Amino acid sequence: MDSIIAIGATILYGLAIATIVPGLYHQTGIKAKTVLVSAVLALCFHAWLLSDLIFDGYGQNLSILNVASLISFLISLVMSAAMLKNRLWFLLPVVYSFAAINLSAATFLPSTFIKHLENDPKLLIHISLALFSYATLTIGALYALQLAWLDHKLKTKKALAINPNLPPLMLVERHLFKIILIGNLLLTLTLITGFVFVQDMFAQGKAHKAVLSFIAWIVYSILLWCHYQRGWRGKKVTWFAVAGATLLTLAYFGSRFVKEIILR
């Protein structure tokens, strides 16, 4: 049954992507209703499958593949909701592709990492903040890449730069820094709750998570300060946003990828 749900969700994500992509290259109208219906149905299947994969009779299976699928679901959910007000057509194919890949991997390459969050509500708060901060800052990295792409097209005077399906450059920039600000606040809370609630935060095999997350927090803080105080724009913003997201990815998934995927 899980396999059928995963295949159905993947097909629906693919339908949404296939509806968007032609409009990015040929400046044709994109059928927003088709994209929205396909995305909503895919997200419903995705959520249904996640409930089966994560919640079982022994606790919560927070394996690396399940967590990656959960994060891609959160990102897809937020971006699909934002689609109603903003032209996110350039980002949505990337977001939906990752969601389909992560969902398929979690379904067909099962792994186990059981936790009992119902017995530790403080840890649940910390993990929830970590998931939302990472999802938010990953969206920020995607916005930064879109910003760099639009800037490049404008400078080279490509026809895609005036594609009506793409958002204005300044609007993307404003949204980017709002997202990074929110994400950095969530990351701050994640670090604070980690220090307060997680007693073995610096134990062997876990210290790198705290260190890399703190370095990422510094990177995002520098980016925000330099933007608002010194007017940073352009390539610097893209590099810092992507660097911060990369550090968080290594912090959250680095060692677990080695342990659960490579060594396993």
Side-chain angles (χ1 to χ4, degrees):
M1 187 64 182
D2 287 349
S3 299
I4 295 174
I5 297 172
I7 292 171
T10 300
I11 291 173
L12 288 165
Y13 279 131
L15 177 60
I17 294 169
T19 306
I20 295 171
V21 171
L24 297 177
Y25 287 97
H26 303 295
Q27 301 187 22
T28 56
I30 295 175
K31 298 179 180 179
K33 289 184 178 180
T34 302
V35 176
L36 183 60
V37 171
S38 300
V40 169
L41 291 174
L43 288 168
C44 289
F45 282 129
H46 199 155
W48 183 5
L49 185 55
L50 279 175
S51 66
D52 289 341
L53 294 174
I54 294 178
F55 299 100
D56 58 31
Y58 301 100
Q60 295 81 42
N61 184 6
L62 299 180
S63 68
I64 183 173
L65 295 177
N66 286 350
V67 172
S69 184
L70 175 59
I71 290 173
S72 65
F73 169 78
L74 293 174
I75 294 173
S76 299
L77 180 64
V78 172
M79 298 296 278
S80 297
M83 174 181 63
L84 299 174
K85 290 187 177 181
N86 303 298
R87 286 174 285 175
L88 300 175
W89 304 122
F90 175 75
L91 297 178
L92 287 175
V94 178
V95 171
Y96 292 155
S97 296
F98 274 111
I101 292 170
N102 287 330
L103 179 62
S104 299
T107 304
F108 298 107
L109 300 172
S111 56
T112 303
F113 187 78
I114 300 297
K115 302 292 289 185
H116 297 280
L117 299 177
E118 68 278 3
N119 298 327
D120 194 349
K122 293 180 180 179
L123 181 61
L124 175 60
I125 293 173
H126 172 68
I127 291 177
S128 298
L129 287 170
L131 289 173
F132 281 110
S133 65
Y134 179 70
T136 303
L137 292 169
T138 300
I139 293 173
L142 292 173
Y143 264 83
L145 292 173
Q146 182 186 34
L147 184 68
W149 186 75
L150 289 172
D151 184 60
H152 172 72
K153 293 301 180 184
L154 286 171
K155 288 180 179 179
T156 56
K157 298 181 180 180
K158 297 286 186 179
L160 286 175
I162 56 173
N163 190 322
N165 296 317
L166 299 177
L169 183 69
M170 297 305 296
L171 179 63
V172 174
E173 185 179 79
R174 286 197 299 271
H175 288 166
L176 166 64
F177 285 102
K178 288 180 181 178
I179 291 168
I180 291 179
L181 179 60
I182 294 171
N184 204 42
L185 290 173
L186 290 171
L187 181 58
T188 303
L189 294 174
T190 301
L191 292 170
I192 292 173
T193 55
F195 283 117
V196 175
F197 297 154
V198 183
Q199 296 180 352
D200 58 346
M201 190 172 180
F202 290 97
Q204 185 176 4
K206 294 184 178 181
H208 72 282
K209 297 181 181 180
V211 173
L212 290 174
S213 296
F214 183 68
I215 295 174
W217 179 84
I218 293 174
V219 168
Y220 284 118
S221 298
I222 292 173
L223 173 58
L224 290 168
W225 187 86
C226 288
H227 171 70
Y228 289 112
Q229 297 297 323
R230 297 189 177 183
W232 270 20
R233 285 182 169 83
K235 292 183 179 180
K236 290 181 180 179
V237 173
T238 303
W239 281 111
F240 268 71
V242 173
T246 302
L247 286 168
L248 288 178
T249 301
L250 292 173
Y252 291 177
F253 297 111
S255 63
R256 290 188 60 186
F257 178 80
V258 174
K259 292 177 181 178
E260 294 186 34
I261 305 300
I262 298 178
L263 296 181
R264 189 180 182 90

mmCIF file of all heavy atoms in Angstrom, residues 101-123:
data_model
loop_
_atom_site.group_PDB
_atom_site.id
_atom_site.type_symbol
_atom_site.label_atom_id
_atom_site.label_comp_id
_atom_site.label_asym_id
_atom_site.label_seq_id
_atom_site.Cartn_x
_atom_site.Cartn_y
_atom_site.Cartn_z
ATOM 1 N N ILE A 101 11.698 12.629 -4.969
ATOM 2 C CA ILE A 101 12.885 11.781 -4.771
ATOM 3 C C ILE A 101 12.983 11.315 -3.323
ATOM 4 O O ILE A 101 13.210 10.128 -3.044
ATOM 5 C CB ILE A 101 14.157 12.549 -5.189
ATOM 6 C CG1 ILE A 101 14.173 12.773 -6.704
ATOM 7 C CG2 ILE A 101 15.410 11.792 -4.754
ATOM 8 C CD1 ILE A 101 15.253 13.718 -7.172
ATOM 9 N N ASN A 102 12.825 12.240 -2.394
ATOM 10 C CA ASN A 102 12.927 11.885 -0.976
ATOM 11 C C ASN A 102 11.813 10.930 -0.557
ATOM 12 O O ASN A 102 12.040 10.004 0.233
ATOM 13 C CB ASN A 102 12.885 13.148 -0.113
ATOM 14 C CG ASN A 102 14.161 13.951 -0.205
ATOM 15 O OD1 ASN A 102 15.240 13.407 -0.410
ATOM 16 N ND2 ASN A 102 14.052 15.257 -0.065
ATOM 17 N N LEU A 103 10.619 11.165 -1.072
ATOM 18 C CA LEU A 103 9.498 10.291 -0.737
ATOM 19 C C LEU A 103 9.740 8.876 -1.256
ATOM 20 O O LEU A 103 9.509 7.891 -0.541
ATOM 21 C CB LEU A 103 8.208 10.859 -1.345
ATOM 22 C CG LEU A 103 6.926 10.062 -1.117
ATOM 23 C CD1 LEU A 103 6.607 9.979 0.362
ATOM 24 C CD2 LEU A 103 5.770 10.702 -1.874
ATOM 25 N N SER A 104 10.230 8.767 -2.471
ATOM 26 C CA SER A 104 10.510 7.449 -3.054
ATOM 27 C C SER A 104 11.627 6.740 -2.290
ATOM 28 O O SER A 104 11.548 5.530 -2.029
ATOM 29 C CB SER A 104 10.900 7.601 -4.527
ATOM 30 O OG SER A 104 9.845 8.184 -5.274
ATOM 31 N N ALA A 105 12.667 7.499 -1.926
ATOM 32 C CA ALA A 105 13.780 6.900 -1.187
ATOM 33 C C ALA A 105 13.326 6.381 0.170
ATOM 34 O O ALA A 105 13.709 5.280 0.594
ATOM 35 C CB ALA A 105 14.901 7.926 -1.016
ATOM 36 N N ALA A 106 12.513 7.173 0.870
ATOM 37 C CA ALA A 106 12.029 6.747 2.190
ATOM 38 C C ALA A 106 11.139 5.512 2.088
ATOM 39 O O ALA A 106 11.102 4.684 3.010
ATOM 40 C CB ALA A 106 11.263 7.892 2.850
ATOM 41 N N THR A 107 10.439 5.372 0.968
ATOM 42 C CA THR A 107 9.522 4.240 0.794
ATOM 43 C C THR A 107 10.249 2.963 0.371
ATOM 44 O O THR A 107 10.002 1.888 0.926
ATOM 45 C CB THR A 107 8.453 4.577 -0.260
ATOM 46 O OG1 THR A 107 7.771 5.776 0.119
ATOM 47 C CG2 THR A 107 7.440 3.445 -0.371
ATOM 48 N N PHE A 108 11.140 3.102 -0.595
ATOM 49 C CA PHE A 108 11.749 1.910 -1.196
ATOM 50 C C PHE A 108 13.132 1.579 -0.637
ATOM 51 O O PHE A 108 13.690 0.527 -0.958
ATOM 52 C CB PHE A 108 11.834 2.091 -2.711
ATOM 53 C CG PHE A 108 10.487 2.250 -3.363
ATOM 54 C CD1 PHE A 108 10.067 3.479 -3.848
ATOM 55 C CD2 PHE A 108 9.624 1.174 -3.472
ATOM 56 C CE1 PHE A 108 8.827 3.640 -4.441
ATOM 57 C CE2 PHE A 108 8.371 1.311 -4.062
ATOM 58 C CZ PHE A 108 7.971 2.542 -4.545
ATOM 59 N N LEU A 109 13.695 2.476 0.209
ATOM 60 C CA LEU A 109 14.972 2.201 0.878
ATOM 61 C C LEU A 109 14.780 2.396 2.383
ATOM 62 O O LEU A 109 15.350 3.306 2.987
ATOM 63 C CB LEU A 109 16.068 3.137 0.357
ATOM 64 C CG LEU A 109 16.381 3.058 -1.141
ATOM 65 C CD1 LEU A 109 17.343 4.178 -1.523
ATOM 66 C CD2 LEU A 109 16.967 1.696 -1.501
ATOM 67 N N PRO A 110 13.956 1.567 3.008
ATOM 68 C CA PRO A 110 13.597 1.786 4.414
ATOM 69 C C PRO A 110 14.796 1.645 5.350
ATOM 70 O O PRO A 110 15.690 0.840 5.134
ATOM 71 C CB PRO A 110 12.566 0.683 4.678
ATOM 72 C CG PRO A 110 12.886 -0.384 3.684
ATOM 73 C CD PRO A 110 13.376 0.330 2.464
ATOM 74 N N SER A 111 14.801 2.481 6.386
ATOM 75 C CA SER A 111 15.805 2.407 7.450
ATOM 76 C C SER A 111 15.109 2.732 8.764
ATOM 77 O O SER A 111 13.990 3.251 8.778
ATOM 78 C CB SER A 111 16.964 3.365 7.189
ATOM 79 O OG SER A 111 16.494 4.691 7.034
ATOM 80 N N THR A 112 15.780 2.452 9.870
ATOM 81 C CA THR A 112 15.132 2.577 11.179
ATOM 82 C C THR A 112 15.984 3.387 12.140
ATOM 83 O O THR A 112 17.192 3.179 12.252
ATOM 84 C CB THR A 112 14.883 1.182 11.795
ATOM 85 O OG1 THR A 112 14.098 0.410 10.884
ATOM 86 C CG2 THR A 112 14.145 1.318 13.121
ATOM 87 N N PHE A 113 15.340 4.342 12.803
ATOM 88 C CA PHE A 113 15.970 5.107 13.871
ATOM 89 C C PHE A 113 14.856 5.513 14.833
ATOM 90 O O PHE A 113 14.253 6.573 14.709
ATOM 91 C CB PHE A 113 16.696 6.340 13.311
ATOM 92 C CG PHE A 113 17.505 7.095 14.329
ATOM 93 C CD1 PHE A 113 18.749 6.639 14.734
ATOM 94 C CD2 PHE A 113 17.012 8.269 14.883
ATOM 95 C CE1 PHE A 113 19.493 7.342 15.671
ATOM 96 C CE2 PHE A 113 17.741 8.980 15.815
ATOM 97 C CZ PHE A 113 18.987 8.514 16.206
ATOM 98 N N ILE A 114 14.546 4.643 15.761
ATOM 99 C CA ILE A 114 13.367 4.811 16.617
ATOM 100 C C ILE A 114 13.650 5.778 17.769
ATOM 101 O O ILE A 114 14.669 5.689 18.456
ATOM 102 C CB ILE A 114 12.912 3.461 17.185
ATOM 103 C CG1 ILE A 114 12.553 2.501 16.048
ATOM 104 C CG2 ILE A 114 11.716 3.630 18.117
ATOM 105 C CD1 ILE A 114 11.408 2.952 15.190
ATOM 106 N N LYS A 115 12.743 6.723 17.952
ATOM 107 C CA LYS A 115 12.762 7.629 19.111
ATOM 108 C C LYS A 115 11.413 7.534 19.812
ATOM 109 O O LYS A 115 10.432 7.056 19.241
ATOM 110 C CB LYS A 115 13.012 9.070 18.670
ATOM 111 C CG LYS A 115 14.307 9.267 17.907
ATOM 112 C CD LYS A 115 15.544 9.054 18.765
ATOM 113 C CE LYS A 115 15.727 10.189 19.763
ATOM 114 N NZ LYS A 115 16.988 10.056 20.526
ATOM 115 N N HIS A 116 11.381 7.995 21.060
ATOM 116 C CA HIS A 116 10.132 8.006 21.833
ATOM 117 C C HIS A 116 9.879 9.430 22.321
ATOM 118 O O HIS A 116 10.087 9.765 23.487
ATOM 119 C CB HIS A 116 10.227 7.025 23.000
ATOM 120 C CG HIS A 116 10.387 5.594 22.567
ATOM 121 N ND1 HIS A 116 9.327 4.817 22.157
ATOM 122 C CD2 HIS A 116 11.496 4.818 22.448
ATOM 123 C CE1 HIS A 116 9.757 3.619 21.822
ATOM 124 N NE2 HIS A 116 11.073 3.586 21.984
ATOM 125 N N LEU A 117 9.452 10.267 21.396
ATOM 126 C CA LEU A 117 9.272 11.684 21.696
ATOM 127 C C LEU A 117 8.115 11.930 22.650
ATOM 128 O O LEU A 117 8.071 12.965 23.322
ATOM 129 C CB LEU A 117 9.043 12.465 20.391
ATOM 130 C CG LEU A 117 10.195 12.402 19.375
ATOM 131 C CD1 LEU A 117 9.817 13.156 18.113
ATOM 132 C CD2 LEU A 117 11.479 12.957 19.966
ATOM 133 N N GLU A 118 7.168 10.988 22.702
ATOM 134 C CA GLU A 118 6.040 11.173 23.628
ATOM 135 C C GLU A 118 6.506 11.152 25.083
ATOM 136 O O GLU A 118 5.816 11.676 25.972
ATOM 137 C CB GLU A 118 4.980 10.095 23.388
ATOM 138 C CG GLU A 118 5.393 8.677 23.758
ATOM 139 C CD GLU A 118 6.204 7.980 22.697
ATOM 140 O OE1 GLU A 118 6.508 8.628 21.676
ATOM 141 O OE2 GLU A 118 6.524 6.794 22.889
ATOM 142 N N ASN A 119 7.665 10.577 25.342
ATOM 143 C CA ASN A 119 8.216 10.530 26.700
ATOM 144 C C ASN A 119 9.157 11.686 26.992
ATOM 145 O O ASN A 119 9.651 11.816 28.118
ATOM 146 C CB ASN A 119 8.970 9.206 26.919
ATOM 147 C CG ASN A 119 8.056 8.001 26.783
ATOM 148 O OD1 ASN A 119 6.874 8.074 27.120
ATOM 149 N ND2 ASN A 119 8.594 6.898 26.278
ATOM 150 N N ASP A 120 9.427 12.519 25.993
ATOM 151 C CA ASP A 120 10.380 13.620 26.175
ATOM 152 C C ASP A 120 9.900 14.841 25.400
ATOM 153 O O ASP A 120 10.395 15.139 24.311
ATOM 154 C CB ASP A 120 11.769 13.187 25.704
ATOM 155 C CG ASP A 120 12.862 14.139 26.169
ATOM 156 O OD1 ASP A 120 12.532 15.233 26.679
ATOM 157 O OD2 ASP A 120 14.052 13.782 26.034
ATOM 158 N N PRO A 121 8.906 15.566 25.938
ATOM 159 C CA PRO A 121 8.349 16.714 25.207
ATOM 160 C C PRO A 121 9.370 17.812 24.935
ATOM 161 O O PRO A 121 9.261 18.527 23.932
ATOM 162 C CB PRO A 121 7.230 17.216 26.133
ATOM 163 C CG PRO A 121 7.548 16.649 27.478
ATOM 164 C CD PRO A 121 8.233 15.348 27.227
ATOM 165 N N LYS A 122 10.385 17.960 25.806
ATOM 166 C CA LYS A 122 11.415 18.979 25.570
ATOM 167 C C LYS A 122 12.210 18.660 24.308
ATOM 168 O O LYS A 122 12.525 19.558 23.521
ATOM 169 C CB LYS A 122 12.340 19.074 26.783
ATOM 170 C CG LYS A 122 11.665 19.618 28.044
ATOM 171 C CD LYS A 122 12.646 19.691 29.191
ATOM 172 C CE LYS A 122 11.979 20.239 30.438
ATOM 173 N NZ LYS A 122 12.915 20.312 31.593
ATOM 174 N N LEU A 123 12.539 17.395 24.131
ATOM 175 C CA LEU A 123 13.257 16.990 22.919
ATOM 176 C C LEU A 123 12.380 17.188 21.689
ATOM 177 O O LEU A 123 12.877 17.565 20.620
ATOM 178 C CB LEU A 123 13.686 15.525 23.036
ATOM 179 C CG LEU A 123 14.470 14.959 21.851
ATOM 180 C CD1 LEU A 123 15.768 15.723 21.650
ATOM 181 C CD2 LEU A 123 14.751 13.467 22.066
#
